[in-house]
Amino acid sequence: MALNDADNIQQDGQVRSVELREDMHIVIVGHVDHGKSTIIGRMLADTGSLPDGKLEFVRETCRRNSKPFEYAFLLDALKDEQSQGITIDAARCFFKTNKRHYIIIDAPGHIEFLKNMVTGAARAEAALLVIDAVEGVQENSRRHGYMLGMLGIKQVSVLINKMDLVDYRQEVYNVIRKNYLEFLGKIGVQTSSFVPVSGLEGDNIAYSSSRMGWFRGKTVIEVLDDFQAEKAPEDKPFRMPVQGVYKFTRHGDTRRIVAGSIESGRISVGDEVIFYPSGKKSTVKTIESFNEASRTSIGAGYAAGFTLTEQIYVNRGEVATLLKQPRPLVTSRIRANIFWLGKEPMEKGVDYILKLGTNRVSARLEEILMVIDASTLKNKKKVCIECHDVAECILKLERHIAFDLPEEVVQTGRFVIVDRYEIAGGGIAQESLQDEQSRVREKVHLRNYKWEKNLITEEERGERYNQRSCLILLTGPPDIERKPVAKALEQKLFTEGKFIYFLGIGNVLYGIDADIKLSEQNNREEHLRRLAEVSNLMIDAGLILIVTARELSQADLELMKMAVNPEKIQTVWLGEDITTDITFNLHIPDTTSIKKNVAQIKEYMQKRGIIFKLW
Amino acid sequence: MEHLEKLENRSIHILREAYSEFTSLCMLWSIGKDSTVLLWLTRKAFFGHVPIPLVHIDTSYKIPEMIEYRDKLAFKWHLDMIYGINTKALEEKETFPDGNCTRLGCCKKLKTEALVNTLSGNWPRFRMNHDTCRYELDKNSEPYTGVIVGVRSDEEGSRSKERYFSPRGRTSNWAFADQPPEFWNQYKTDFAPGTHVRIHPLLDWTELDIWEYIKQEGIPVVSLYFNQGDGKRYRSLGCGPCTKPVESEAGNLKEIIEELKTGKFAKIAERSGRDQDKEDGGGLETLRVDGYM
């Protein structure tokens, strides 16, 4: 068997042996029956994009059935004959001008299909919005305009159709144009142009109309060719949501590659990168690819991958950014504008999933600030956000995430909401709000930013001490003794040669914390922060650190996780009763024997690979 | 960014999303040009590796060169290669070539049923052992919840209605009239127990894009696509009895691309050599609603 001649791998990925081609996706939207299909049919016919004889065939069929010919029939005929025809499919049709190839997405005008309209429009770089000259601006003319704005489609041209039915009168066109411009002005959407057309008669579609001498603008085809191809935002700060960290060690590959699609900016070998929300820092060692010429720099739009000089623990969901550029926002409370497409309304007290970039986090509706009718722009006072509503609200997330405001980087400022198993809404972040961890987070991010790197790596330290550094948090109800267990564990592992330390909380409280009052509740956060910072230093030194604390809550743990790598924290709950909401790694209900408890914790540490079992 | 580059990068993004979001994931490899491009894109997405098992549905009527090519590449590229087959229908000769059912009925048994039951793990799967180069019964019978498929929206009517991530019901059925919205590169990655998601990274590609990309990247494709001197070549590959070669002199990639752009195939559908499509009234909707690729 001959594998064809192309089995040799092309070394120079830059050499493109095929001709360059420009494609543009255009969505055509508007109220139902305002003539979208007719306009598409006419565009296909007048640009010579139809199969031979198709037009005559449809005309003949109409004549025989005593129906007036309509271009929309042509579209239907093409859909039916998809398997033999070309050019068109149910949602998309193709044609080309001298300038470029077009893919026209035919968005449904019925309100029930708003989710399909959104799906279609989101794929487009520009939009044509059709308004019937007889009916004027209708509910979905406005709603679709609003959705185009929310989806971030910047290039919109409005076609005022069926001009033949109003005798091509300029006043009709002017009134609708003024009316609709007013609406667009209120929602902040820019239009590139208005064109009076007749899809049926072909006025101003591909050819300038002689029946509307008063109109000096461009035809629809000229308007399309005037749309600008969307440029990948390379001039914005670098943002790459991490899709995964790949290490495929089979067949001897040792690379550890951070992979993701670059949403904005550019990255080069040698750049210092910082990942958010964790705030971890490293430097780009190589930019990786397969079957491409090697590169030292890569920009927005590319599905990229790079290796780092120091191995830091990062995961899917973080956003890679550049140290020298503006930072993204990090919080767990966001003010956002939302549009809702779900069958069930969005309500308080329900757990949703928010997906932003590659991050996914549990989210709740904290407050509805305003619900807006996307068509009338009227504010409604509502307790839930119903299907097709647009709302301004506050979302509370289970964990903090990194994002940008749309004026900074639009791609990392928008998200979707999943209700049960379905994407039910979309949203755009408007403001980063304070949450419980804001103060600590800010300090930790600055610390990471300023962090002085040692020449010795974490792996080297681990190898020297024959252990993985970590923080063992012993917690439990007030009546259970934790310190004796901690001290016995320290002694046991110390005699076995481990580099281990028990940090008595009092040693911190009356030393490092001497300047803050113990009793005041709002100082608790600062106590915890300092404890976490001290722990972080000791872990960095390669120690196994044991800390005891009474009744740690999940919020306490979250605070500690800000300053200490979450992967390095092991929580142990001592005692039968669980009196807080904390999620622990190990539960030891029976605390009657210290020796037994020490053995249990030791076994757990071996299982997790913190210390190693001797053969 | 250039046209093919745009397509390539979007497809890679989708492949990586699928890999991260689905724990039980597989990719259908029909050995044809489209799913081979998909396989190649996977190697690009994962920097030379293919960390996703490849599933082939063997009807036993595939053209022999296809199986030979499959196993050769599987070995060379270290692919986790799995095949499924409707042994019962073949043993009982319930096939079109045996004269016991229609073309469509045969497709339903040998392809749709075999696919649905292989994906669900109800029927045995056979996995390549790279030490012996032979197929062995696969111990894993866990259902695949994410299935990557190389369909393109320009192929025929029903495929144009697909999303990138398209849910399938408990019986693999497809409710195409009521699909979830998809925007801002966020996809349907949550699914109810018992259902699965079909993932379509090639949805935006056209037949011409596929051939131009094969040429650009130097992707090995099965020789049946080229005229071997008898003035015939396959434009679309399937089972021997139901797939006819087309009259064409195109013997290399350059000639195939030329033929699609300006030559005799510029206005003729790709699947015109596939007889089951015609039997289905021109579309594959009947087959696809039941779970066909």
Side-chain angles (χ1 to χ4, degrees), chain B residues 188-242:
Chain B
K188 182 184 166 67
T189 52
D190 298 86
F191 51 92
T195 64
H196 74 271
V197 177
R198 297 265 174 107
I199 299 142
H200 304 122
L202 296 184
L203 212 53
D204 295 334
W205 296 60
T206 63
E207 186 186 9
L208 180 60
D209 295 330
I210 292 284
W211 282 114
E212 288 187 331
Y213 189 70
I214 287 171
K215 182 159 184 286
Q216 172 190 297
E217 294 289 315
I219 305 171
V221 291
V222 69
S223 53
L224 295 165
Y225 282 116
F226 304 98
N227 167 28
Q228 305 290 336
D230 56 356
K232 282 183 170 59
R233 70 176 192 89
Y234 286 88
R235 192 173 169 198
S236 173
L237 290 179
C239 294
C242 293

Side-chain angles (χ1 to χ4, degrees), chain A residues 6 10 16 83 92 292 360, chain B residues 44 153 178 190 209 216 218 282:
Chain A
Q10 193 174 313
R16 301 291 174 193
S83 61
R92 318 188 314 167
E292 299 273 345
R360 91 186 251 128
Chain B
K44 290 202 110 173
S153 64
D178 184 28
D190 298 86
D209 295 330
Q216 172 190 297

Side-chain angles (χ1 to χ4, degrees), chain A residues 30-32 36 107-118 139-141 143-144 147 340-341 373-375 387-389:
Chain A
H31 198 76
V32 64
K36 295 186 290 291
H110 263 291
I111 180 120
E112 300 94 279
F113 301 123
L114 192 67
K115 62 179 183 175
N116 294 341
M117 178 266 169
V118 166
E139 186 190 334
N140 286 328
S141 321
R143 195 185 302 277
H144 284 183
M147 291 313 298
W340 196 250
L341 305 166
D373 186 306
S375 176
C387 191
H388 305 146
D389 276 346

Side-chain angles (χ1 to χ4, degrees), chain A residues 84-251:
Chain A
Q84 293 119 50
I86 32 128
T87 335
I88 197 158
D89 60 42
R92 318 188 314 167
C93 39
F94 307 85
F95 74 91
K96 63 180 178 202
T97 65
N98 291 332
K99 180 153 183 186
R100 55 168 88 100
H101 290 243
Y102 288 98
I103 300 110
I104 303 285
I105 304 161
D106 189 5
H110 263 291
I111 180 120
E112 300 94 279
F113 301 123
L114 192 67
K115 62 179 183 175
N116 294 341
M117 178 266 169
V118 166
T119 305
R123 289 183 188 179
E125 290 172 66
L128 297 177
L129 192 145
V130 180
I131 301 176
D132 186 318
V134 182
E135 288 194 18
V137 178
Q138 292 295 308
E139 186 190 334
N140 286 328
S141 321
R142 287 188 292 255
R143 195 185 302 277
H144 284 183
Y146 198 105
M147 291 313 298
L148 292 176
M150 280 208 87
L151 290 166
I153 292 160
K154 296 266 184 308
Q155 310 184 83
V156 183
S157 183
V158 181
L159 312 184
I160 300 183
N161 189 27
K162 306 194 190 175
M163 287 303 290
D164 53 309
L165 298 183
V166 295
D167 302 325
Y168 301 102
R169 276 180 299 147
Q170 189 176 7
E171 314 89 81
V172 179
Y173 167 79
N174 282 345
V175 168
I176 294 173
R177 181 172 183 272
K178 182 167 169 288
N179 192 339
Y180 199 66
L181 268 176
E182 219 171 337
F183 172 80
L184 292 178
K186 281 186 207 158
I187 59 172
V189 171
Q190 303 270 326
T191 45
S192 36
S193 59
F194 279 78
V195 189
V197 302
S198 165
L200 187 67
E201 301 295 335
D203 299 278
N204 290 335
I205 302 284
Y207 307 106
S208 218
S209 170
S210 57
R211 288 174 282 215
M212 288 179 277
W214 48 266
F215 180 72
R216 307 238 170 268
K218 293 179 169 164
T219 64
V220 178
I221 297 295
E222 285 166 340
V223 163
L224 288 179
D225 281 349
D226 270 358
F227 284 141
Q228 300 291 311
E230 225 170 53
K231 286 227 163 52
E234 266 205 40
D235 52 333
K236 294 277 187 178
F238 173 74
R239 299 288 187 256
M240 187 190 93
V242 175
Q243 280 186 294
V245 179
Y246 303 139
K247 198 172 174 193
F248 302 112
T249 45
R250 279 176 62 200
H251 315 296

